[in-house]
Amino acid sequence: ELDKLLKLHTKAIKALDDHSNENPVKQLPLNDVSMMDDGSNAAKAHREGKIVPSSDIEAFPGIPSHCIPDLFLVWDFLCTFCRALSLEPIELDDFAAALSFRPVNVPQASSHGDSASNIPVYLSESHIALLRLLLQDPTSENWWWSILETPEMIEEEGEEYLNAIDKKRKTAAAVVKIDMEALLAAEEDMDITTRWLLALEDVRTRKPDNTGPMKSAVRNAIAVTTNQYVKSYLKKAMRKWNRKSAGLVKRAVVWLVDRIREARPDVWGRSVSAQEIAEQKKIVATEAAIEMDRIVEDADEVNDADLNLEVESDEESDFDEDEGSDNEDEYADQVDNQGSPSKQACTMTTKDNDGITPVTTFVPAKPVPSIVDLLLPPGKPTLPSDLVHALTWPPVIGATSCRVLHWYKRRRNEVDDSIREFRELKPMSIAERRARESIASFRVLSECANPVDSNTDHVESAITHLCDGKDYLELTAVQRLCILRILIEAAYDTYHVQQSIEDNFKARMNAIKALDAEERRAKKEAREELAAIEAAARERLAREAKETFVQKKRQEIIQNNEETGDYSTEFLENLQDDDVIDFDEDTKAEYEALPTADSFNKSEVNTVVAKIQEETAFGTSILVVLTLREIEQREEKHLKSLQDKLESFGDLESLYQTHSADRETSAMVDKLLKEIATCIDLKQSLPQLRSDAIDALNDAIDDGTVKALRTAIKTAKVAKLSGDDVETGGIWSLDLLRDAALELKNAESRKRVTEAQKDLVAKRNKCFIRTDPLGRDRYQTCFIHFDYDKSSRVWAERDYILRNGTPDKNEGAAVLFKTPESVSMGARDRDEDFVSLEDRDKPYGNSFLSFSRQEYHHTSELGTLAMHHWSCYTTDRSIRVLIKNLNSTNEKENALKEVLKETLEAMALASVSSDAPQNGVLLNGGSAEGVGQDKKSLPQEETKFRTSGDSDVFSGLKGNLSEDDAALMKGVTSAIGRRIRLRRIPNPERAPDVAQYIMGTITGWKTGILSNEEAVNKEEIDDDVSHRSPTPVPIWRMALDDGGELHITDNEIVEGLVRASKWTNQHPGYIERDAPFLSYRNNLGRFCGRQVDAPSSLTPLAFARQMLKKEQDLYMHLKSRTLENNWGGKCGSRNAWVASLKEYGHTFEAVRDGLLTLENAFFDLTGGFGTNGSSSHDVEAGEQTTESKLSGKDLLYDEVSRFDIELESLGNNVKGLWNNPDTRAIFREIISVCETVSILALGLDLICRNSQGYIS
């Protein structure tokens, strides 16, 4: 029983130890708040508004810093859905360069389609791809017709399409004027009021064309009520009645019933006090008075007494109440004519009262039709169509963006009304609605907007620019980004994109399951390996316990034998371990009572497991771990032992002089002297080496990558921080080196797992949904890596630290310190939508606004969207410093640390597999020759670079610059510390016209000697160059932004500095004609045609070819339908026209005149204006046809009449090319004043559509 209790006690102690070791308090992760100011470098830098480490990239030239998020959004969308768009991805740097591209020459003036003077192919391909995606999707029906929408159209849609708020607004519009305050003040019995209200309720359920029952209900209400104001109101409403439709009568009746419901809740059985009823009446009367101000009664209205409601025809009395119509609300048919005096007076009154009149519809103000709208067909373009073409996409994109933005304005209005309705606030006035619509782009696309209170509207100005038919390249980079952002906002709502996301999500889930299975397998193997180590540890503990027991018993036997003398010495020496165990019964019982392998607790096992892992990491069976002080003591002890051993030989001088020592003794003495000298030398040199090695070990452990750990361990071994242990036959090592070896083993294990899962990870990443951040640090900094970006880049998004007042001059590096005004952008929040004026100064209102503003900034100080600080880390050094500043005890930062280590491993693999090494000598003005040479080939006279002293050499090199370039370099005395942009040709044989541009910083210089082979690359010399002496030349060291370094000579240094200055500052006229983005070709879609024609797809020459093709397709059909052909045949006009286009088709003026000539020819071939027999010579563009009528030019430039212009030949009875002379005059005026090929292409398409309509 006692043995059982002892075993249970042992088991309980073991379980307690296991629990204590598996759940130590020190392993609990620390939260972010406790680490905000922990005294670390990261906390100190954040407190000072600085960034540690400093970023390698801040922004892109030509792209404002606050537009960086939109740049990422647009580029990431185009790359993510590249297959859905049939658009080949492009690098981020090239995309930014394409957006900010500014040509030297006007595109239309280019005769050969030079890629450096036309729209970059990627921008053309991406816009056409987005346009095709939008127009093919059924969701485009929602916004394509939005600019034609009116409040009357919304009412005719039927109530099934409206939400509760819109239904209420629809029925709440007043149409008859009444003094609501007097009506509510009139005394009337409650029963009578209830009776006439119930009679009028029958009108609500009737359809507008069910006029008989409506008239009967109103007549009954007039007969029942004793309120003279109600009688007067109903009689006025019946003046709007006719036999076919009583829609306005219904609206007037429903409006009155709803107002009485609001003002008299007691009528419907609610128990309310007289004071509450009075207050409610006052509110309803005030609102009704505002609505009455919008209504102006006609002066010719009859008096109330003139209205006879008692007469009803038999036809009306017998009207079938069940008869209905499909047209539910035909209010538009009963609206007064535009030209009536009452309507004009109503309009004037409405404008005067916009500040107090509440809105009655969410439909935005209808925009004036643009030039592009006049040339487009009435309906939405269907694919395939020449309207979605490389020649026409800029203006069509402008029209599309206008419609999408107008649709978002409507949705924004709906949201505003819904919020105010939910908060039970009064509806906003018309003036407030129009003010909000004017800043809709700042509310929808705030990131693209300027800071708060700025008057520049990039979105509206870009849309207006394109819709007016102007050149796309005249847009700024921000305006181009705004257009793409609008299109992508609409693309996110398309079914095609949503289906792609769903498909990717399903495939991603399957890939994640397979990856999880692989991870479980790897974890299982790790557990099995750890279990094997634990089993070995337990066996070692049991073996060591037995060995200790046997050794102890052996000593006891020997000691007892010394007293008794029972056994001989020979017997004791030949005594085996088994003999000791079986020596007597007590010894055997004690041996059997020794702990077994399973009886050791977790703490003891973990200690041995760690020891085994350490020995495995060093590849030995015995490892002795020492501190640095213990190693130094060992070395001092070893040196002293050598010196003592040497002293044992006596006086060395007498020993050598007398020759008393034999040869063996002399050799031993010489060996001792050498060892002592070596120890003394090492004692002097090792401290510095060991200090550097220890720093390298600490950095490598923080880094955690295989490459860094192996390098640091190698350095530590050179510094004698490990070695063979003579006493144990194993290895001794520094404790820090032991930690690095263990970390290396873990890193190699992670690397093996990563390589095993590489294919599954690649499969998962192909099923892309969105870019997820790598992680966050304690300050909520978001770190992001984009799949299609360079593998070495890690972007960081940080919140600014808000501070009031002007920044201190000493805070130049404090980039995170900003004032609230400087970080605010977009439109301000409309606080009146959330909290009423009465609650704004109360604690509830302030707390609600403070809570809602945390979405913008954690301080709740901003009522707008907040800018963020974006930066990028591109070098392994900056990422290593970033990892070093992360704290592993914080759960977020520890996870981020592991991900960044994997990024470093990927960078290391990429640098190994790269065809162009990072280190090398770049000669011959930046050519690829010389790149990739090993450092051993560098001049050996001076291997160290200096950080100053190149002023004289650099000043001499500046003398070779042109006047303009010399002006840029004026004041620059040294190249060190300057930014440089290097140009090289990656593939001079296959692609000699495509260059690669590399950014970096000059960090040092030296004077080196070139070999003869390098000298040949540098300058032209004669055949006996091998006999010349080496030529010393200056060499500068360039630190690349993407990591690594290059060594460049004087041929490239000045040109690179000038190039960097022009590129960074967007110097006028500077174009990199061989930049990679200019050579982009879309192999997936080819929307711009063949690869060789893609750069010139929007040139006059391309349009000339298109015009010739269209004329050839239509001419034979038109020729067969006319009797007089003054275009083809013997006349020769057609041949002359074709010849002129072929000869001068590269100029814009020639193709514009050619289009006008073609229109004139088709006009004659279609018979002029048909019935009146007018020909092209009777009506010229812009001339008045009659004195009383505006000319076509006047109609075009009049915003009111432009709404009525229709250039399309519609219907089945098309008599000619144009409907009337005004239509033709308008078209010719548009073509005559246009300045872009795209408008000409739209005009050509319009002519072809009208001609085809005539043919059909």
Side-chain angles (χ1 to χ4, degrees):
E1 188 67 24
L2 182 60
D3 293 339
K4 291 182 181 179
L5 291 175
L6 289 174
K7 290 181 180 180
L8 291 175
H9 182 264
T10 304
K11 187 181 294 185
I13 292 176
K14 178 184 175 184
L16 180 61
D17 291 341
D18 292 345
H19 176 76
S20 301
N21 284 278
E22 291 177 355
N23 299 277
V25 177
K26 65 180 181 180
Q27 292 183 4
L28 294 177
L30 300 177
N31 56 18
D32 297 339
V33 178
S34 62
M35 298 182 63
M36 285 295 183
D37 195 3
D38 57 356
S40 61
N41 292 334
K44 181 180 178 182
H46 185 79
R47 189 169 59 251
E48 297 175 355
K50 301 177 182 178
I51 298 177
V52 176
S54 59
S55 56
D56 300 314
I57 297 178
E58 292 289 346
F60 299 94
I63 308 294
S65 58
H66 67 271
C67 292
I68 294 296
D70 286 282
L71 179 72
F72 290 152
L73 184 150
V74 172
W75 171 76
D76 194 40
F77 177 88
L78 296 177
C79 293
T80 300
F81 298 99
C82 58
R83 294 190 177 276
L85 295 170
S86 297
L87 183 68
E88 193 169 345
I90 192 173
E91 288 191 0
L92 179 59
D93 293 351
D94 294 338
F95 177 67
L99 278 180
S100 57
F101 173 72
R102 305 286 293 182
V104 178
N105 301 321
V106 180
Q108 285 77 10
S110 176
S111 59
H112 301 288
D114 183 12
S115 61
S117 60
N118 293 298
I119 301 176
V121 176
Y122 182 78
L123 293 182
S124 299
E125 294 279 351
S126 59
H127 283 87
I128 298 175
L130 288 170
L131 193 59
R132 291 172 60 87
L133 174 68
L134 293 174
L135 295 181
Q136 286 178 340
D137 199 83
T139 57
S140 59
E141 297 288 344
N142 295 331
W143 48 261
W144 185 262
W145 304 102
S146 61
I147 61 170
L148 304 177
E149 201 172 46
T150 61
E152 291 76 17
M153 294 173 61
I154 297 298
E155 291 180 346
E156 293 177 2
E157 287 180 358
E159 295 187 358
E160 63 270 16
Y161 300 104
L162 304 178
N163 53 33
I165 300 169
D166 303 329
K167 290 178 181 178
K168 180 177 179 180
R169 181 190 296 112
K170 178 178 175 180
T171 59
V175 294
V176 177
K177 200 165 186 177
I178 187 64
D179 187 355
M180 181 58 67
E181 184 176 3
L183 187 150
L184 295 175
E187 297 291 339
E188 187 178 43
D189 186 76
M190 184 178 295
D191 293 336
I192 295 177
T193 303
T194 305
R195 286 172 57 193
W196 66 261
L197 284 174
L198 291 176
L200 293 178
E201 280 289 345
D202 184 60
V203 176
R204 190 188 299 272
T205 61
R206 300 292 177 181
K207 293 185 177 181
D209 54 2
N210 201 355
T211 57
M214 281 192 191
K215 185 174 182 180
S216 299
V218 174
R219 185 181 58 189
N220 293 337
I222 293 175
V224 170
T225 182
T226 60
N227 192 327
Q228 296 300 321
Y229 295 96
V230 175
K231 289 185 177 183
S232 175
Y233 177 86
L234 295 177
K235 289 180 180 180
K236 290 180 181 180
M238 286 303 298
R239 293 194 187 101
K240 309 289 184 181
W241 179 88
N242 63 48
R243 295 174 57 185
K244 294 183 179 180
S245 178
L248 291 177
V249 176
K250 178 179 178 180
R251 288 177 59 181
V253 170
V254 172
W255 181 88
L256 178 63
V257 174
D258 289 342
R259 299 293 81 75
I260 298 298
R261 279 178 173 271
E262 294 180 15
R264 296 289 304 277
D266 56 321
V267 175
W268 310 101
R270 292 180 57 187
S271 177
V272 291
S273 63
Q275 182 179 359
E276 292 177 345
I277 294 176
E279 292 179 355
Q280 193 66 22
K281 285 182 179 180
K282 184 177 179 180
I283 294 174
V284 173
T286 303
E287 294 178 351
I290 296 176
E291 292 189 65
M292 295 302 109
D293 291 338
R294 297 184 300 133
I295 303 174
V296 178
E297 295 179 341
D298 290 337
D300 57 351
E301 284 188 350
V302 297
N303 296 328
D304 298 345
D306 296 335
L307 183 64
N308 184 10
L309 298 178
E310 302 299 329
V311 181
E312 181 181 5
S313 65
D314 295 338
E315 181 182 356
E316 296 167 0
S317 301
D318 298 334
F319 201 95
D320 186 5
E321 296 185 4
D322 295 332
E323 183 178 353
S325 173
D326 295 335
N327 190 5
E328 177 67 25
D329 289 316
E330 298 179 355
Y331 302 143
D333 295 338
Q334 304 188 35
V335 179
D336 294 336
N337 293 330
Q338 294 287 342
S340 66
S342 62
K343 185 68 177 180
Q344 296 176 0
C346 180
T347 303
M348 295 175 60
T349 307
T350 301
K351 292 181 178 179
D352 295 337
N353 296 331
D354 280 352
I356 59 175
T357 305
V359 293
T360 59
T361 179
F362 50 78
V363 178
K366 187 177 179 181
V368 178
S370 63
I371 299 296
V372 177
D373 292 327
L374 299 180
L375 297 176
L376 289 175
K380 186 186 74 171
T382 56
L383 298 179
S385 170
D386 288 338
L387 294 174
V388 185
H389 190 266
L391 284 169
T392 58
W393 69 261
V396 178
I397 283 292
T400 303
S401 302
C402 177
R403 286 159 169 77
V404 174
L405 183 61
H406 192 271
W407 173 253
Y408 277 111
K409 287 182 180 179
R410 169 184 168 167
R411 294 175 65 180
R412 183 73 260 182
N413 292 342
E414 293 184 64
V415 172
D416 288 342
D417 293 347
S418 301
I419 293 175
R420 296 181 71 88
E421 181 73 16
F422 177 76
R423 304 294 299 177
E424 298 182 356
L425 301 174
K426 295 180 181 180
M428 67 180 69
S429 65
I430 296 177
E432 292 175 340
R433 170 60 57 80
R434 295 297 176 253
R436 295 195 182 190
E437 289 177 358
S438 65
I439 59 171
S441 58
F442 294 98
R443 306 179 71 196
V444 177
L445 307 173
S446 300
E447 292 83 353
C448 285
N450 272 359
V452 176
D453 301 332
S454 175
N455 295 325
T456 304
D457 191 339
H458 296 295
V459 180
E460 296 282 2
S461 61
I463 293 176
T464 303
H465 182 89
L466 294 178
C467 289
D468 288 342
K470 297 182 180 179
D471 188 9
Y472 176 85
L473 287 176
E474 294 178 1
L475 296 176
T476 64
V478 178
Q479 289 176 324
R480 300 175 192 177
L481 193 60
C482 291
I483 295 296
L484 285 170
R485 174 73 189 277
I486 292 175
L487 299 177
I488 288 175
E489 286 292 332
Y492 270 119
D493 295 333
T494 59
Y495 293 139
H496 194 63
V497 171
Q498 294 177 6
Q499 187 63 40
S500 299
I501 294 175
E502 291 179 3
D503 295 341
N504 282 353
F505 183 78
K506 295 177 181 178
R508 187 179 180 88
M509 292 301 297
N510 296 331
I512 289 176
K513 289 179 180 178
L515 185 60
D516 290 341
E518 179 64 25
E519 290 178 352
R520 287 194 298 270
R521 188 191 64 79
K523 290 180 180 179
K524 182 179 179 181
E525 292 180 355
R527 287 195 303 269
E528 292 176 352
E529 182 181 357
L530 182 60
I533 296 176
E534 287 184 357
R538 293 182 180 277
E539 292 294 337
R540 176 185 286 193
L541 286 172
R543 185 173 62 254
E544 290 177 353
K546 293 178 180 180
E547 292 176 354
T548 303
F549 173 78
V550 172
Q551 187 66 22
K552 180 181 177 181
K553 285 299 179 181
R554 189 186 298 276
Q555 293 296 331
E556 291 180 358
I557 294 172
I558 294 174
Q559 291 176 2
N560 293 334
N561 187 61
E562 291 177 355
E563 297 178 359
T564 60
D566 296 338
Y567 307 103
S568 63
T569 304
E570 183 180 358
F571 174 79
L572 294 177
E573 290 178 353
N574 295 329
L575 198 61
Q576 302 296 324
D577 292 344
D578 294 338
D579 298 333
V580 174
I581 294 172
D582 298 334
F583 192 77
D584 53 25
E585 294 296 332
D586 294 338
T587 303
K588 188 175 182 179
E590 291 179 10
Y591 179 80
E592 293 177 353
L594 289 174
T596 60
D598 296 333
S599 61
F600 294 98
N601 58 40
K602 194 73 173 179
S603 177
E604 295 173 337
V605 175
N606 288 341
T607 303
V608 179
V609 166
K611 195 172 182 180
I612 293 175
Q613 290 176 341
E614 294 170 0
E615 295 169 351
T616 305
F618 278 86
T620 183
S621 58
I622 300 176
L623 178 66
V624 180
V625 181
L626 304 173
T627 63
L628 183 60
R629 179 57 183 164
E630 292 174 344
I631 294 174
E632 292 175 350
Q633 290 176 354
R634 273 197 169 200
E635 292 174 347
E636 292 175 358
K637 184 179 179 182
H638 178 63
L639 178 59
K640 191 173 185 308
S641 65
L642 293 177
Q643 292 174 347
D644 293 342
K645 193 172 182 180
L646 183 61
E647 290 177 358
S648 64
F649 289 98
D651 188 6
L652 298 182
E653 294 182 0
S654 60
L655 184 66
Y656 284 110
Q657 291 176 358
T658 58
H659 304 284
S660 58
D662 53 9
R663 183 177 297 177
E664 183 178 355
T665 303
S666 299
M668 188 178 298
V669 170
D670 293 340
K671 183 179 179 182
L672 287 173
L673 289 173
K674 289 181 181 180
E675 290 181 356
I676 291 173
T678 302
C679 291
I680 294 174
D681 293 340
L682 291 176
K683 189 175 182 181
Q684 295 177 354
S685 61
L686 281 180
Q688 182 60 38
L689 292 175
R690 286 175 173 174
S691 178
D692 297 340
I694 289 174
D695 293 339
L697 288 172
N698 286 319
D699 294 340
I701 291 174
D702 292 334
D703 190 312
T705 59
V706 175
K707 182 179 179 181
L709 287 167
R710 286 177 177 173
T711 303
I713 291 174
K714 184 177 180 180
T715 304
K717 290 181 178 180
V718 172
K720 304 293 184 182
L721 292 179
S722 66
D724 297 332
D725 190 14
V726 181
E727 298 179 359
T728 61
I731 295 176
W732 62 268
S733 172
L734 180 68
D735 50 2
L736 186 61
L737 181 57
R738 180 268 320 268
D739 298 338
L742 292 175
E743 184 67 24
L744 175 61
K745 184 180 179 182
N746 295 333
E748 291 174 343
S749 177
R750 289 196 303 268
K751 186 177 180 180
R752 286 194 300 269
V753 173
T754 302
E755 291 178 352
Q757 299 175 356
K758 183 166 58 176
D759 295 338
L760 292 175
V761 171
K763 183 179 179 180
R764 181 198 62 185
N765 293 338
K766 286 182 180 178
C767 309
F768 191 80
I769 298 176
R770 66 175 184 179
T771 299
D772 294 323
L774 301 177
R776 295 178 182 269
D777 64 4
R778 71 191 84 168
Y779 303 108
Q780 301 304 314
T781 301
C782 184
F783 295 90
I784 304 173
H785 172 70
F786 297 99
D787 282 355
Y788 290 91
D789 199 5
K790 295 180 180 179
S791 60
S792 60
R793 284 186 176 178
V794 176
W795 292 88
E797 180 188 17
R798 294 178 173 86
D799 279 341
Y800 282 109
I801 303 174
L802 302 184
R803 296 181 62 179
N804 295 319
T806 57
D808 191 358
K809 294 182 179 180
N810 298 327
E811 295 179 352
V815 295
L816 296 181
F817 284 158
K818 292 287 184 179
T819 60
E821 294 79 12
S822 62
V823 301
S824 299
M825 64 179 179
R828 297 183 183 275
D829 264 350
R830 301 294 176 172
D831 297 338
E832 60 269 20
D833 290 352
F834 307 106
V835 180
S836 61
L837 293 174
E838 295 79 7
D839 296 336
R840 197 146 319 158
D841 296 331
K842 296 181 180 179
Y844 163 77
N846 293 333
S847 62
F848 181 82
L849 290 178
S850 176
F851 172 76
S852 62
R853 289 173 178 172
Q854 290 183 10
E855 178 184 3
Y856 305 136
H857 199 272
H858 63 276
T859 60
S860 304
E861 295 184 20
L862 301 179
T864 66
L865 282 176
M867 299 180 187
H868 294 98
H869 182 275
W870 283 86
S871 58
C872 183
Y873 302 104
T874 62
T875 62
D876 55 352
R877 179 182 175 278
S878 59
I879 297 179
R880 293 179 197 278
V881 176
L882 177 62
I883 293 175
K884 187 176 181 180
N885 283 276
L886 297 176
N887 196 325
S888 300
T889 57
N890 182 271
E891 187 174 3
K892 291 181 180 178
E893 295 195 354
N894 185 47
L896 175 62
K897 200 172 186 178
E898 296 299 326
V899 176
L900 291 177
K901 289 179 180 179
E902 295 177 1
T903 304
L904 281 177
E905 293 288 354
M907 291 173 59
L909 292 175
S911 63
V912 171
S913 60
S914 177
D915 295 332
Q918 291 179 340
N919 294 324
V921 179
L922 189 59
L923 300 174
N924 197 18
S927 67
E929 299 177 7
V931 177
Q933 297 181 10
D934 191 82
K935 284 189 175 182
K936 294 180 180 179
S937 64
L938 294 177
Q940 299 297 323
E941 288 191 358
E942 295 183 24
T943 57
K944 293 185 179 179
F945 285 87
R946 291 174 286 174
T947 57
S948 62
D950 66 334
S951 302
D952 296 337
V953 178
F954 184 73
S955 299
L957 296 175
K958 290 198 302 181
N960 300 326
L961 294 175
S962 63
E963 294 182 2
D964 295 339
D965 294 346
L968 292 175
M969 291 290 101
K970 185 178 180 180
V972 180
T973 59
S974 174
I976 297 175
R978 306 287 301 182
R979 297 285 290 168
I980 185 172
R981 185 168 178 82
L982 204 63
R983 174 184 176 273
R984 66 176 183 181
I985 309 296
N987 195 343
E989 296 180 357
R990 294 186 178 181
D993 298 332
V994 180
Q996 181 181 6
Y997 290 87
I998 307 171
M999 289 297 297
T1001 305
I1002 301 299
T1003 59
W1005 84 291
K1006 68 178 182 179
T1007 301
I1009 297 178
L1010 297 177
S1011 64
N1012 290 333
E1013 180 181 356
E1014 295 167 337
V1016 171
N1017 292 329
K1018 185 176 183 299
E1019 59 181 351
E1020 295 182 0
I1021 57 177
D1022 49 14
D1023 296 336
D1024 60 346
V1025 64
S1026 58
H1027 302 287
R1028 290 190 177 186
S1029 59
T1031 305
V1033 294
I1035 298 175
W1036 279 267
R1037 180 178 60 192
M1038 172 185 174
L1040 302 178
D1041 285 350
D1042 292 334
E1045 65 180 32
L1046 288 176
H1047 299 165
I1048 58 178
T1049 62
D1050 53 357
N1051 284 358
E1052 183 66 15
I1053 183 67
V1054 180
E1055 295 179 5
L1057 294 177
V1058 172
R1059 191 182 295 118
S1061 177
K1062 291 182 177 180
W1063 180 77
T1064 304
N1065 299 320
Q1066 295 285 288
H1067 187 74
Y1070 174 73
I1071 292 181
E1072 296 173 348
R1073 298 181 179 273
D1074 51 3
F1077 75 92
L1078 291 177
S1079 61
Y1080 170 87
R1081 299 295 183 269
N1082 183 19
N1083 296 321
L1084 294 179
R1086 296 189 179 182
F1087 303 122
C1088 293
R1090 299 181 303 169
Q1091 291 189 2
V1092 67
D1093 297 332
S1096 59
S1097 60
L1098 195 52
T1099 58
L1101 188 60
F1103 174 69
R1105 297 193 188 101
Q1106 179 79 356
M1107 190 159 46
L1108 291 172
K1109 180 178 180 298
K1110 292 295 182 181
E1111 190 272 344
Q1112 185 178 4
D1113 293 341
L1114 294 173
Y1115 172 66
M1116 297 304 297
H1117 298 282
L1118 294 175
K1119 174 184 175 183
S1120 62
R1121 288 168 171 79
T1122 184
L1123 297 177
E1124 296 182 2
N1125 184 4
N1126 295 324
W1127 176 242
K1130 296 181 180 180
C1131 178
S1133 299
R1134 184 169 182 254
N1135 293 333
W1137 177 77
V1138 172
S1140 65
L1141 287 181
K1142 290 182 178 180
E1143 184 176 358
Y1144 303 105
H1146 59 274
T1147 62
F1148 177 76
E1149 292 76 10
V1151 294
R1152 182 174 59 186
D1153 296 341
L1155 179 61
L1156 292 174
T1157 304
L1158 179 66
E1159 184 273 338
N1160 192 66
F1162 280 10
F1163 179 73
D1164 289 340
L1165 289 174
T1166 55
F1169 289 114
T1171 56
N1172 56 15
S1174 299
S1175 66
S1176 61
H1177 304 287
D1178 298 332
V1179 182
E1180 294 295 334
E1183 294 183 356
Q1184 291 184 347
T1185 57
T1186 61
E1187 295 182 357
S1188 60
K1189 189 176 181 182
L1190 293 175
S1191 67
K1193 183 176 180 180
D1194 296 333
L1195 291 172
L1196 175 64
Y1197 296 118
D1198 184 67
E1199 292 186 356
V1200 177
S1201 62
R1202 189 180 287 189
F1203 283 96
D1204 300 326
I1205 296 177
E1206 179 57 65
L1207 303 182
E1208 191 89 5
S1209 297
L1210 303 177
N1212 297 323
N1213 190 22
V1214 179
K1215 300 297 184 180
L1217 185 64
W1218 305 108
N1219 296 325
N1220 51 63
D1222 289 336
T1223 304
R1224 185 181 182 219
I1226 291 171
F1227 173 81
R1228 293 185 69 87
E1229 175 65 20
I1230 292 175
I1231 299 302
S1232 299
V1233 300
C1234 74
E1235 300 176 353
T1236 59
V1237 173
S1238 300
I1239 296 298
L1240 298 181
L1242 288 180
L1244 175 63
D1245 191 74
L1246 176 61
I1247 293 175
C1248 294
R1249 294 198 307 272
N1250 287 351
S1251 300
Q1252 189 62 49
Y1254 169 78
I1255 294 171
S1256 300

